Amino acid sequence: SCCGSGGVVAARFLKRAQHDVHLFEAGFDFGGVWSDKPTNAVVYRNLRTNLPTVVMQSPDLDFEPGLPSYITKSQLGRYIRAYANEFGVAPLTTFGATVTKVTPICSAEGEQWEVQWTCAGALHTDIFDAVLVANGHYEEPYKPTLAGEEDWLAADSSRSIMHSREYDDPTEFRNQSVLVVGGRSSGVDISRDLRSVAKWVYVLEKKCSEPQTHEGETVTHVPLGARLSSDGQLRVFVGRTEASAGEEVVVGGPPVDRVVLATGYCYAFPFLDEATLGMSFRARRSVTPLYQHLMHARRPTLGFVGIQLAVPCPIPFFECQAAYLAEAWARGAADPLSSAAERDAWVEERLAAVGASGREQDLHYTSSFGGSAWKYMRELLQLLHASRPPTLDGSSWLERPDWEARLALVEEMYTDRGSRYPTLPWHDDSYRQCEYNVNWPSGTWTVQPPPQST
């Protein structure tokens, strides 16, 4: 599936750079996981976006009038479809096309790519000068083994472990005690969802340092390292020091009946062969070797959009990435935006940092290397503008002189949203009732908090 926001944005900017674009989509509509009939139904029933529309959208295209700031799956899917239609992506798209193999080949023109895909039961093959991958990262769930899970499962056949990808309706957990593993977006939403129906909710995440049950709440915060036991109780070591492992204690609360893993996903590109391409990604939480998270460092005509995690403003972010790739490929090998040595050095620096931390999943958290996603976007645009300066008649926000002001405005609103975010995963999400309004030309914005909100 490449007709989510990343693929649609990429097609727009590649087309604008005079590339001959062919977009393959396994489903039958734009929107990716947000479409009404996705090929991958990972969006659960009660989900509302955790970013306001003014942050998610392109400054080049507003959402339809009358929507709240925090919207549903179908409303976001409609926006992606509108973006595709507005910027001429629809005629470039083949729906019902599943890419099965992408292979590099040598030719008189240099390295090219043989792409195989199936459509309507037939196998097709064609040759392309470059390939851009934008299939998202919600295909292959990451399912870590929990301490004690084997004994816990064996002791009671009614116990089960599921990934958040399978989660849809909180009512199936009614009157049960549930352990939610993970404290990012899905873990936050699911733990809050379950509070109203479950007997008890445990939330295990890295931000917790010791078990804590908050007064008046049937929720217990649990640190990493907690162990499931055959009696259903969670146990955790407390009082750890360099000299002592501490004491293992039982976490207060009823025995755990069910576990929901809100632990994210591994990257999955079943049409790419790691060995052939000199890449590493299968069953991993990182993709290497990617320069700027965007292109294969040694095969720069293989590009990726949307690899990063925790993107603060999805569509503007993808627009910066797509504009950079479109320009890099338009210039070609004779006048590259980056040298092979620069690309290799960039990758090695980040791999060294990740190796030191032992957390490979941090490779694509843009803020893990002392910067931020905002700094990353600015760096991409500055690299682009060095050879193609902004002009007043630029047809996109990122090509006009006020691009920095536009991006700063989005960052301000994102920061305001963050200041209203709940401090504990299961707490009230009244921030989603805030209403934002922005005036792009004047560079001003306002927010209306919900009644009785501070």
Side-chain angles (χ1 to χ4, degrees):
S1 173
C2 286
C3 278
S5 53
V8 167
V9 166
R12 172 200 174 191
F13 279 86
L14 289 168
K15 172 175 173 278
R16 291 171 67 260
Q18 306 302 311
H19 296 287
D20 182 12
V21 182
H22 300 259
L23 186 61
F24 297 115
E25 165 58 41
F28 293 91
D29 196 2
F30 294 106
V33 298
W34 305 101
S35 72
D36 289 335
K37 294 182 179 179
T39 58
N40 179 2
V42 300
V43 180
Y44 35 91
R45 183 174 304 182
N46 295 334
L47 186 141
R48 291 171 67 202
T49 59
N50 62 1
L51 294 171
T53 53
V54 292
V55 169
M56 291 189 293
Q57 73 166 72
S58 167
D60 292 334
L61 182 69
D62 289 337
F63 275 81
E64 62 191 87
L67 292 182
S69 287
Y70 293 87
I71 57 176
T72 65
K73 166 191 168 182
S74 62
Q75 290 166 335
L76 181 50
R78 286 204 305 270
Y79 178 83
I80 298 171
R81 189 183 309 120
Y83 188 103
N85 290 328
E86 175 72 17
F87 299 115
V89 174
L92 314 175
T93 306
T94 302
F95 289 107
T98 300
V99 174
T100 56
K101 193 173 184 180
V102 174
T103 308
I105 58 173
C106 291
S107 70
E109 288 76 25
E111 184 168 76
Q112 292 182 298
W113 300 87
E114 181 181 87
V115 177
Q116 294 182 359
W117 71 96
T118 59
C119 189
L123 178 65
H124 304 266
T125 303
D126 206 346
I127 306 299
F128 296 89
D129 296 318
V131 170
L132 188 145
V133 178
N135 66 333
H137 36 73
Y138 298 110
E139 291 291 337
E140 185 177 325
Y142 172 61
K143 297 181 178 180
T145 300
L146 304 177
E149 76 169 53
E150 186 176 351
D151 291 341
W152 176 78
L153 285 168
D156 189 334
S157 61
S158 69
R159 294 171 178 168
S160 65
I161 299 176
M162 70 185 300
H163 191 269
S164 59
R165 173 175 172 163
E166 306 161 61
Y167 176 88
D168 188 49
D169 188 350
T171 59
E172 69 173 285
F173 298 88
R174 188 175 301 282
N175 297 323
Q176 294 184 318
S177 175
V178 186
L179 169 64
V180 178
V181 181
R184 297 193 67 84
S185 299
S186 293
V188 167
D189 284 347
I190 291 171
S191 59
R192 187 183 299 117
D193 237 8
L194 293 173
R195 278 191 62 196
S196 61
V197 296
K199 176 170 61 179
W200 202 275
V201 179
Y202 297 93
V203 181
L204 188 157
E205 59 142 349
K206 66 179 181 180
K207 293 177 185 175
C208 178
S209 58
E210 60 182 34
Q212 185 174 11
T213 301
H214 293 259
E215 185 176 353
E217 297 182 310
T218 55
V219 182
T220 300
H221 214 183
V222 184
L224 297 180
R227 178 175 67 88
L228 285 163
S229 306
S230 57
D231 61 5
Q233 299 297 146
L234 283 166
R235 287 173 165 78
V236 64
F237 281 94
V238 296
R240 285 181 185 266
T241 65
E242 290 186 4
S244 169
E247 176 189 5
E248 189 176 51
V249 299
V250 175
V251 176
V256 175
D257 300 312
R258 304 274 298 277
V259 174
V260 179
L261 298 175
T263 45
Y265 294 80
C266 299
Y267 292 95
F269 311 112
F271 43 84
L272 298 179
D273 181 74
E274 285 182 309
T276 300
L277 295 171
M279 296 185 70
S280 176
F281 56 79
R282 196 173 304 282
R284 300 185 69 102
R285 304 178 76 188
S286 63
V287 184
T288 58
L290 294 190
Y291 170 66
Q292 293 283 7
H293 315 282
L294 269 179
M295 61 170 63
H296 194 307
R298 300 178 192 98
R299 299 178 184 269
T301 53
L302 177 61
F304 296 79
V305 163
I307 287 289
Q308 280 106 316
L309 304 175
V311 173
C313 54
I315 292 177
F317 191 94
F318 300 154
E319 288 176 329
C320 294
Q321 292 191 310
Y324 179 91
L325 271 179
E327 174 66 13
W329 288 349
R331 292 167 63 136
D335 184 26
L337 277 175
S338 60
S339 69
E342 287 171 334
R343 294 193 295 269
D344 281 340
W346 192 95
V347 171
E348 289 304 317
E349 179 186 359
R350 275 142 189 83
L351 288 178
V354 167
S357 72
R359 288 175 52 84
E360 72 163 341
Q361 64 267 36
D362 284 350
L363 182 64
H364 302 301
Y365 279 112
T366 319
S367 60
S368 298
F369 301 94
S372 70
W374 308 100
K375 181 181 178 183
Y376 169 79
M377 286 187 279
R378 290 182 175 98
E379 288 175 351
L380 287 183
L381 293 185
Q382 286 160 359
L383 289 169
L384 187 63
H385 294 157
S387 59
R388 192 181 293 274
T391 61
L392 288 173
D393 60 352
S395 60
S396 172
W397 68 275
L398 48 72
E399 295 177 338
R400 293 190 288 269
D402 64 348
W403 70 270
E404 171 69 52
R406 288 281 180 114
L407 194 55
L409 199 60
V410 177
E411 185 177 2
E412 284 178 20
M413 293 184 287
Y414 177 81
T415 301
D416 180 83
R417 167 264 187 196
S419 71
R420 302 171 188 277
Y421 203 69
T423 54
L424 291 171
W426 58 90
H427 274 183
D428 179 67
D429 64 344
S430 60
Y431 77 95
R432 283 186 166 118
Q433 299 171 42
C434 292
E435 293 298 331
Y436 289 84
N437 288 286
V438 60
N439 185 310
W440 297 111
S442 69
T444 58
W445 61 276
T446 60
V447 57
Q448 178 62 50
Q452 299 180 340
S453 174
T454 58

